[in-house]
Amino acid sequence: VQLQASGGGSVQAGDSLRISCTASGHYFSNYATGWFRQAPGKLREFVAAINSKGTTAYVDSVKGRFTISRDNAKNTVYLQMNSLKPEDTAVYYCAADEVKFGRALGKYDYWGQGTLVTVSS
């Protein structure tokens, strides 16, 4: 599986942005997919994840603002980000795994390149 993240950009605080993770390969609908982010000088952290059944998980700091979803027909997982804050500024990475689902980076075998989200105040 190869993952391609896209949709990042520069926005103002309070704006919305949707980023996408598109996968190549078959049976992507069977994969759990996660979004992680890494701000300058910080470790990569979990943001949200969705498994093949549609079960979702979020880090507390984005609950109520971010929504993860998937369109299996397009082999794509989305992260809708609303009410963005400057502290959401980071490179966002998507990751996938056929078996494991959760918040830990080590659960995911496949990673895409990042897409930069910059939120200015």
Side-chain angles (χ1 to χ4, degrees), residues 12-13 16 21 25 31 40 55 57-60 69 71 74-76 78-79 91 96 103-104 107 118:
Q12 298 287 320
S16 298
C21 176
Y31 284 67
T55 301
Y58 298 91
V59 67
D60 286 347
S69 62
D71 184 338
K74 296 182 178 180
N75 271 9
T76 300
Y78 302 100
L79 186 67
V91 177
R103 301 166 183 262
K107 288 184 178 290
T118 304

Side-chain angles (χ1 to χ4, degrees), residues 94-116:
C94 61
D97 195 275
E98 191 173 10
V99 177
K100 299 180 286 295
F101 167 71
R103 301 166 183 262
L105 278 71
K107 288 184 178 290
Y108 297 88
D109 284 342
Y110 304 97
W111 289 81
Q113 92 299 349
T115 186
L116 176 63

Side-chain angles (χ1 to χ4, degrees), residues 31-83:
Y31 284 67
T33 303
W35 283 101
F36 296 80
R37 65 187 179 187
Q38 188 165 16
K42 295 188 176 181
L43 296 175
R44 194 171 299 187
E45 65 172 0
F46 169 78
V47 177
I50 186 167
N51 69 6
S52 61
K53 298 180 180 179
T55 301
T56 59
Y58 298 91
V59 67
D60 286 347
S61 61
V62 308
K63 284 181 180 177
R65 299 189 298 123
F66 290 11
T67 302
I68 189 170
S69 62
R70 65 190 309 153
D71 184 338
N72 291 330
K74 296 182 178 180
N75 271 9
T76 300
V77 170
Y78 302 100
L79 186 67
Q80 176 68 42
M81 303 182 290
N82 299 329
S83 302

